Amino acid sequence: MTAPSVRPVSEREARQVAEAAREQDWRKPSFAKELFLGRFRLDLIHPHPTPAAEDVRRGEEFLARLRDFCEHHVDPARIEREARIPDETVAGLKELGALGMKIDTKYGGLGLTSVYYNKALALVGSVSPALGALLSAHQSIGVPQPLKLFGTQEQKDAFLPRCARTDISAFLLTEPDVGSDPARLATTAVPDGDTYVLDGVKLWTTNGVVADLLVVMARVPRSEGHKGGITAFVVEADAEGITVENRNAFMGLRGLENGVTRFHRVRVPAANRVGPEGAGLKIALTTLNTGRLSIPAMCVAGGKWALKIAREWSTAREQWGKSIARHEAVGSKISFIAATTFALEAVLDLSAQMADEDRNDIRIEAALAKLYSSEMAWLMTDELVQIRGGRGYESAASLAARGERAVPAEQMLRDARINRIFEGSTEIMHLLIAREAVDAHLSVAGDLIDPDRTLGEKARAGAKAGGFYARWLPTLVAGPGALPRAYAEFHPAGHRDLSGHLRYVERAARRLARSTFYGMSRWQGRMETKQGFLGRIVDIGAELFAMSAACVRAEHLRVTGAHGGEAYQLADAFCRQARIRVDELFQRLWTNTDELDRKVVSGVLGGAYTWLEAGIVDPSGDGPWIADSTPGPARTENVHRTLR
């Protein structure tokens, strides 16, 4: 049965909770925000920002040590075989300082920039995605990042040195019946003197099975002297009343230490509360703004590996008298992998460098990077399996047993699949980014389409919106994209012409903004229900962002003398491929099956097509769809273990 502890929440209340957790203000410019408004602000990303020389030196020195460790002291086949990361592997990473890559040196960390932190994650993730997940969950969303942004000095002094060298942390938000709808959060934290008493169950607690410290989101009841609301706490994992009830097993990432954690009358000092009561969701979302870049880092690693294997295999494998890569059907797949890997690395490095410089607001860029990278990495890995044929479907262990190179393509496909779900599924990312993309519209016309507003409020909103659109809409008619010589610096002598792609991006950005406006005009208050339309709007924006990043990176590499000609060719190939996808997405904004799909779904849910399910045997086991998460004492053995 569904857990009775979860209180019913209306759709409106759920949206209000999510809206309250958003960062409301835009204090710094945002390339992606401007892009969705039809303004192609190339000046915000070009020339490509560069790291400081000292940051590069320290980062490269650490990468060299980390590479040596990964090559000589990590056995990825053992992790896959035993479904566990060996204790000695984790101990070696601790000794390297890998737990503290993002933590300031004054707390014992390495103080790496976002650029080099992501390079390190990509390196580790290439040898073992499960190992990369452990490190990223610990630092990107675990204790270090929330404390860096919102912790008191006392909390930083107490916990960051531990996280930098010895203690593994985990982030606990999801519950058995609560995913991306935090308004239904059931775990409670009841004030009791100078402590809070936690009760509840958390699901999919990455690192939770081996963690020493936890960031826990719990609901504080409103009472005298307590504002209440969803609140963040740092909790000792060995506190009395905490039980890890299960270590979960998955399709991929078999070494992932992910479990179910129960809290029963767990006392947490009030001093361990992060931020004020009710600020938990805002803390979580703000943490994820840059934390989400860990997923693109893993995706870039996957693309690089897929390209390497595709190249080496295609060199060795011949069919009908020539390399399989020389057959167009296979060659187009390799071109897609190469061009897309270049673009994903461009998006990642650009976003990370902007995060380091802190001169731009990158909340949309980071979200787009996560969304786009996870989708494209899955496609690239799937194409690699196809290129490898039957060997792509065969396990590395089986290949080795019969005397061939142990290429874990099928494992990489399984491991890559979770990236479309981790830290916000593709569907949720579409909605989050769409909300930010239409923020300017809602800020001036939100009251106009809100059914709960009075006529007077709607009248005032109408006047405000009229003034905004009178100024904004004319700017969408023409721009530099219509000028043949615009962005001429992206067509240097002897190189492919990228200037035409940037002109296309500028024109497409204005078209995207017009389409968004038409959608709002057409559906008004029902716009939020048009998730197919909004998803395509976001996907167009993601493609345009990737095209921009690829062109800027190519020019940066040309200017610095690092493979400029090759980079221009890859950027050109990617942009040509992306333009085909963008044109199709624009067409599908207005020509699609969304309405028919809704009718079919109603029929499915109403049982109209159960006859179509005849002729099978369902292999699923018995049990409820959602496990009972009623608060109370643990009912199973504690499977938490400490890594030494």
Side-chain angles (χ1 to χ4, degrees):
M1 63 179 180
T2 300
S5 58
V6 178
R7 63 189 184 93
V9 176
S10 68
E11 181 180 0
R12 183 169 182 78
E13 183 180 354
R15 292 184 183 280
Q16 287 174 339
V17 170
E19 184 65 18
R22 281 184 61 249
E23 288 185 77
Q24 304 291 330
D25 300 324
W26 293 85
R27 300 183 183 88
K28 299 173 184 176
S30 164
F31 173 80
K33 177 176 180 287
E34 293 293 304
L35 197 67
F36 281 109
L37 284 171
R39 298 190 283 254
F40 181 46
R41 291 287 308 278
L42 185 61
D43 61 295
L44 293 177
I45 61 172
H46 173 67
H48 194 292
T50 55
E54 177 60 18
D55 291 335
V56 173
R57 184 191 65 77
R58 291 191 300 111
E60 292 294 338
E61 286 180 355
F62 176 70
L63 286 181
R65 297 197 302 272
L66 184 63
R67 173 177 288 276
D68 180 75
F69 178 81
C70 288
E71 288 178 342
H72 298 102
H73 302 287
V74 177
D75 184 350
R78 179 185 174 187
I79 294 173
E80 178 72 3
R81 183 174 61 252
E82 298 179 357
R84 177 167 292 182
I85 299 170
D87 287 12
E88 59 267 28
T89 301
V90 179
L93 288 170
K94 289 181 179 181
E95 187 176 345
L96 274 175
L99 294 188
M101 289 186 284
K102 289 190 73 176
I103 298 175
D104 196 286
T105 53
K106 66 183 177 183
Y107 300 111
L110 298 180
L112 297 184
T113 63
S114 293
V115 169
Y116 276 96
Y117 169 66
N118 289 323
K119 288 180 182 295
L121 286 182
L123 180 59
V124 172
S126 67
V127 69
S128 171
L131 204 55
L134 182 143
L135 291 176
S136 65
H138 164 66
Q139 293 173 84
S140 296
I141 58 175
V143 170
Q145 191 67 8
L147 287 193
K148 175 183 177 180
L149 298 174
F150 299 98
T152 65
Q153 190 58 54
E154 291 75 16
Q155 290 171 338
K156 293 176 182 177
D157 292 338
F159 297 118
L160 290 184
R162 293 169 56 184
C163 292
R165 291 292 176 182
T166 59
D167 290 13
I168 293 173
S169 67
F171 176 81
L172 281 62
L173 171 62
T174 305
E175 298 176 0
D177 199 28
V178 179
S180 298
D181 179 12
R184 305 173 71 244
L185 197 78
T187 298
T188 58
V190 179
D192 184 16
D194 60 354
T195 67
Y196 289 83
V197 180
L198 269 63
D199 283 280
V201 178
K202 295 294 185 179
L203 176 63
W204 296 324
T205 59
T206 298
N207 289 358
V209 179
V210 297
D212 305 287
L213 289 171
L214 314 171
V215 176
V216 182
M217 296 294 165
R219 185 183 301 280
V220 177
R222 184 186 297 273
S223 62
E224 184 177 351
H226 291 276
K227 175 185 177 183
I230 298 174
T231 305
F233 300 89
V234 176
V235 182
E236 299 281 356
D238 62 357
E240 184 178 354
I242 296 181
T243 305
V244 178
E245 294 190 325
N246 190 64
R247 182 180 186 267
N248 303 323
F250 300 98
M251 169 184 175
L253 295 184
R254 290 180 175 170
L256 194 69
E257 297 289 356
N258 179 296
V260 177
T261 302
R262 178 177 293 272
F263 297 86
H264 178 56
R265 299 176 184 172
V266 178
R267 289 195 172 272
V268 180
N272 285 22
R273 188 189 72 218
V274 184
E277 289 181 358
L281 282 184
K282 182 165 290 189
I283 289 172
L285 291 177
T286 304
T287 297
L288 284 172
N289 279 344
T290 54
R292 282 198 176 99
L293 292 178
S294 63
I295 299 294
M298 307 286 202
C299 294
V300 167
K304 288 174 176 284
W305 182 81
L307 180 60
K308 179 179 184 294
I309 296 301
R311 173 180 56 80
E312 293 177 348
W313 169 241
S314 298
T315 300
R317 179 66 163 171
E318 290 188 359
Q319 291 284 275
W320 295 297
K322 58 183 177 182
S323 163
I324 59 171
R326 301 298 181 185
H327 294 282
E328 193 171 277
V330 175
S332 63
K333 298 180 187 299
I334 296 175
S335 175
F336 166 71
I337 292 172
T340 305
T341 298
F342 177 81
L344 295 193
E345 187 168 42
V347 166
L348 174 64
D349 281 1
L350 178 62
S351 299
Q353 188 59 46
M354 288 195 294
D356 287 331
E357 293 188 352
D358 198 29
R359 59 185 173 92
N360 287 359
D361 187 321
I362 68 157
R363 75 182 83 163
I364 301 182
E365 286 84 347
L368 286 173
K370 188 275 175 188
L371 166 70
Y372 191 71
S373 297
S374 61
E375 290 293 323
M376 300 306 277
W378 167 254
L379 292 176
M380 288 191 292
T381 311
D382 185 57
E383 292 287 41
L384 175 66
V385 169
Q386 192 70 19
I387 291 169
R388 287 276 289 161
R391 291 172 174 84
Y393 194 67
E394 189 174 3
S395 72
S398 177
L399 288 165
R402 59 183 186 78
E404 291 194 2
R405 183 176 298 184
V407 178
E410 61 84 27
Q411 178 197 332
M412 289 300 178
L413 186 68
R414 290 186 285 104
D415 289 345
R417 185 60 181 82
I418 189 57
N419 292 326
R420 299 175 63 207
I421 300 172
F422 260 165
E423 297 183 18
S425 69
T426 290
E427 294 72 26
I428 292 301
M429 294 307 298
H430 275 146
L431 297 181
L432 290 177
I433 298 168
R435 173 61 187 86
E436 299 297 349
V438 301
D439 183 57
H441 300 281
L442 293 180
S443 66
V444 298
D447 288 350
L448 193 61
I449 61 177
D450 189 336
D452 292 338
R453 296 300 181 184
T454 66
L455 288 177
E457 289 172 325
K458 287 179 180 291
R460 287 190 293 273
K464 182 180 179 182
F468 171 78
Y469 289 119
R471 295 187 301 273
W472 177 66
L473 287 174
T475 67
L476 305 181
V477 176
L483 304 177
R485 294 293 300 162
Y487 314 115
E489 67 268 33
F490 287 86
H491 189 192
H495 291 72
R496 306 287 294 187
D497 182 8
L498 299 184
S499 66
H501 298 312
L502 292 179
R503 290 194 294 273
Y504 175 90
V505 171
E506 195 279 335
R507 295 193 304 272
R510 286 187 281 113
R511 183 182 178 187
L512 181 64
R514 293 194 301 269
S515 299
T516 304
F517 174 73
Y518 296 155
M520 291 198 67
S521 302
R522 178 176 177 179
W523 294 303
Q524 298 185 29
R526 294 182 295 123
M527 178 77 156
E528 63 186 20
T529 69
K530 302 299 179 180
Q531 295 179 3
F533 177 85
L534 291 173
R536 294 175 197 113
I537 288 288
V538 170
D539 286 340
I540 292 170
E543 293 281 7
L544 299 182
F545 176 42
M547 289 176 66
S548 304
C551 292
V552 169
R553 181 177 180 82
E555 174 62 7
H556 173 66
L557 292 178
R558 184 190 72 82
V559 170
T560 57
H563 310 293
E566 298 89 343
Y568 256 69
Q569 187 169 49
L570 287 171
D572 183 40
F574 172 77
C575 288
R576 290 178 185 276
Q577 294 167 10
R579 287 171 68 160
I580 294 172
R581 295 191 293 266
V582 170
D583 289 343
E584 180 183 353
L585 284 166
F586 269 122
Q587 182 178 10
R588 290 176 58 210
L589 284 177
W590 313 109
T591 305
N592 52 64
T593 61
D594 292 351
E595 289 297 332
L596 178 58
D597 293 342
R598 275 188 279 272
K599 293 178 181 178
V600 172
V601 169
S602 295
V604 170
L605 297 180
Y609 311 126
T610 53
W611 52 268
L612 191 58
E613 301 166 9
I616 64 165
V617 175
D618 184 354
S620 306
D622 296 328
W625 286 103
I626 299 171
D628 184 2
S629 58
T630 304
R635 289 160 276 182
T636 63
E637 177 188 356
N638 189 359
V639 298
H640 179 271
R641 65 189 183 92
T642 302
L643 296 176
R644 300 299 181 189

